Amino acid sequence: MNQPLITVEGLTKRFDVSRSFKDVFTGNHPQLQAVSDVDFTLAPGETLGIVGESGCGKTTLGRMLIKLISATEGKVMFDGKDISEMTRTEELEFRRRAQLVFQNPFDALNPHFTILRSLTEPLHNARVPREEHGQRIAEAMSMVHLPALEHFLQSFPHQLSGGQLQRVVLARALVLRPDFIVADEPVSMLDVSVRAGILNVLREVRDTMGLAAVFISHDLALVRYVCERTITMYLGAVVEDGPTAAIVENPLHPYTKALVQAVPIPRVDQSHAPLPITGGLPDARNPPSGCRFRDRCPLAEARCAAEIPRLREVGGGRRVACHLVEPA
Ligand SMILES: Nc1ncnc2c1ncn2[C@@H]1O[C@H](COP(=O)(O)OP(=O)(O)OP(=O)(O)O)[C@@H](O)[C@H]1O
Ligand SMILES: [Mg+2]
């Protein structure tokens, strides 16, 4: 196997949460563990999906991977280098090589800038010589199937459709010829009818640019369409990791099973059944003892409350954190 592009070790993020009156008097500083002891590797060119319910820590994990926020514990190695220990020059190069594709185009694009200016800005920041800008922009626009025509480049975000805007956001990440992108719910703001177009672009980018990608979604059907490998997260922790096809066809963790059952027909334009488990995510400030999923798990036994299940290899490139799954 290739040397990993990214290695994540023991990655944990805790946020301070607001204090109640009682906390203030008792000197208590409550914290919420948004991401909890996550380990995985990503090979160059590999596409990894991260799925799980709202609030399970996907965005927080994605943001730590590209150093938009720092980790509380653990580390992220990019190409063999700890991203929290980079020199200024290494950091500049990392900021070029690792890009985020925003969910909301208006977070990524300044509404007062023309498309051309939005595409030029990252090149300028990364100190790409001016004479290369035209070529880079033409290349990125062609990747996302948008016309690199003067009138288009001179338009403003409000003059474009949602689908066009999301392609511009992707082009803005691609002008820097990155090695790695994090796409956080990149199609969730779009109409179902334009989703497939963007997902196809993401697949083409994956195939032609050999870009490693982390694709975050609460929707397993989307991840299945784009990602070779998938990680399931529950309340900040990874509960399952493996090839997407294996996970979808034969999910091992009871939580992944529930996610798969909620996607009965593997089509991206299909509406979803509700999750076949009861309740919502437990309070992340005070997670259950033992297995975090146990109070919603139909199979939970006494030891699930007593012992935290560790993520362990079960063969076929798969890892599962469940006491009830036997290694293959
Ligand atoms: N800056 C912050 N301060 C305090 N708590 C936060 C902060 N950011 C996220 N959280 C909490 O951390 C947990 C994980 O949030 P995160 O946004 O990573 O989840 P998510 O899986 O991306 O959810 P969604 O699918 O809704 O986008 C949530 O409980 C959230 O309320
Ligand atoms: Mg999120």
Side-chain angles (χ1 to χ4, degrees):
M1 193 171 147
N2 287 335
Q3 171 81 11
L5 179 65
I6 291 176
T7 306
V8 173
E9 286 172 16
L11 202 61
T12 298
K13 181 71 185 182
R14 283 188 287 271
F15 290 112
D16 291 327
V17 285
S18 55
R19 304 164 81 191
S20 64
F21 266 131
K22 189 171 158 229
D23 291 330
V24 174
F25 287 118
T26 56
N28 189 19
H29 288 267
Q31 287 193 317
L32 173 157
Q33 189 140 320
V35 171
S36 182
D37 202 15
V38 168
D39 290 299
F40 66 86
T41 60
L42 186 71
E46 191 177 19
T47 333
L48 174 71
I50 299 184
V51 292
E53 276 164 285
S54 180
C56 72
K58 305 179 296 295
T59 295
T60 307
L61 174 60
R63 287 176 175 247
M64 285 194 282
L65 295 179
I66 50 171
K67 211 177 162 177
L68 269 186
I69 55 173
S70 59
T72 312
E73 272 169 46
K75 61 181 175 180
V76 178
M77 309 279 287
F78 184 83
D79 221 0
K81 185 94 205 161
D82 185 334
I83 64 170
S84 68
E85 291 174 355
M86 288 178 161
T87 63
R88 272 181 72 94
T89 325
E90 285 168 340
E91 170 127 4
L92 191 67
E93 181 62 1
F94 173 69
R95 298 264 172 225
R96 179 192 74 73
R97 294 180 69 189
Q99 295 292 318
L100 178 70
V101 178
F102 286 89
Q103 170 180 3
N104 180 350
F106 286 99
D107 288 342
L109 302 175
N110 185 324
H112 305 295
F113 285 6
T114 61
I115 301 308
L116 180 64
R117 187 161 169 201
S118 284
L119 293 173
T120 308
E121 200 188 33
L123 293 167
H124 184 75
N125 293 342
R127 311 204 181 128
V128 174
R130 194 173 285 268
E131 55 275 18
E132 281 183 39
H133 291 189
Q135 164 65 26
R136 293 287 196 102
I137 289 172
E139 177 187 295
M141 292 292 271
S142 126
M143 288 295 315
V144 301
H145 302 288
L146 283 178
L149 297 172
E150 189 62 18
H151 81 273
F152 191 88
L153 291 171
Q154 292 304 341
S155 46
F156 288 89
H158 73 269
Q159 295 171 303
L160 304 186
S161 72
Q164 285 173 326
L165 275 181
Q166 196 51 313
R167 285 168 199 247
V168 170
V169 171
L170 189 56
R172 191 172 190 270
L174 298 179
V175 282
L176 292 172
R177 295 184 183 149
D179 300 305
F180 173 52
I181 58 170
V182 173
D184 190 354
E185 306 276 7
V187 295
S188 65
M189 306 280 284
L190 300 173
D191 276 355
V192 165
S193 58
V194 288
R195 276 187 189 179
I198 303 283
L199 290 172
N200 283 333
V201 168
L202 284 165
R203 276 163 64 127
E204 278 174 36
V205 166
R206 174 194 73 186
D207 295 340
T208 56
M209 290 185 70
L211 197 65
V214 165
F215 185 97
I216 294 172
S217 180
H218 58 276
D219 187 342
L220 194 57
L222 299 187
V223 163
R224 180 184 194 179
Y225 196 65
V226 184
C227 302
E228 305 156 78
R229 208 175 112 209
T230 297
I231 277 179
T232 315
M233 281 180 83
Y234 186 80
L235 204 62
V238 174
V239 296
E240 183 155 4
D241 171 15
T244 306
I247 288 205
V248 172
E249 274 145 40
N250 178 25
L252 297 175
H253 195 283
Y255 179 61
T256 321
K257 283 188 182 159
L259 287 181
V260 169
Q261 278 176 38
V263 189
I265 301 163
R267 280 179 47 186
V268 292
D269 57 355
Q270 201 72 37
S271 60
H272 290 213
L275 271 188
I277 44 178
T278 51
L281 274 185
D283 185 350
R285 287 170 299 185
N286 189 15
S289 66
C291 174
R292 290 159 174 252
F293 184 57
R294 70 173 162 83
D295 56 356
R296 296 169 81 193
C297 181
L299 308 174
E301 298 175 352
R303 72 169 156 163
C304 303
E307 231 179 287
I308 298 176
R310 300 283 162 209
L311 195 61
R312 55 196 168 81
E313 314 232 348
V314 289
R318 307 184 65 171
R319 298 186 300 161
V320 183
C322 175
H323 293 308
L324 308 174
V325 176
E326 297 301 330

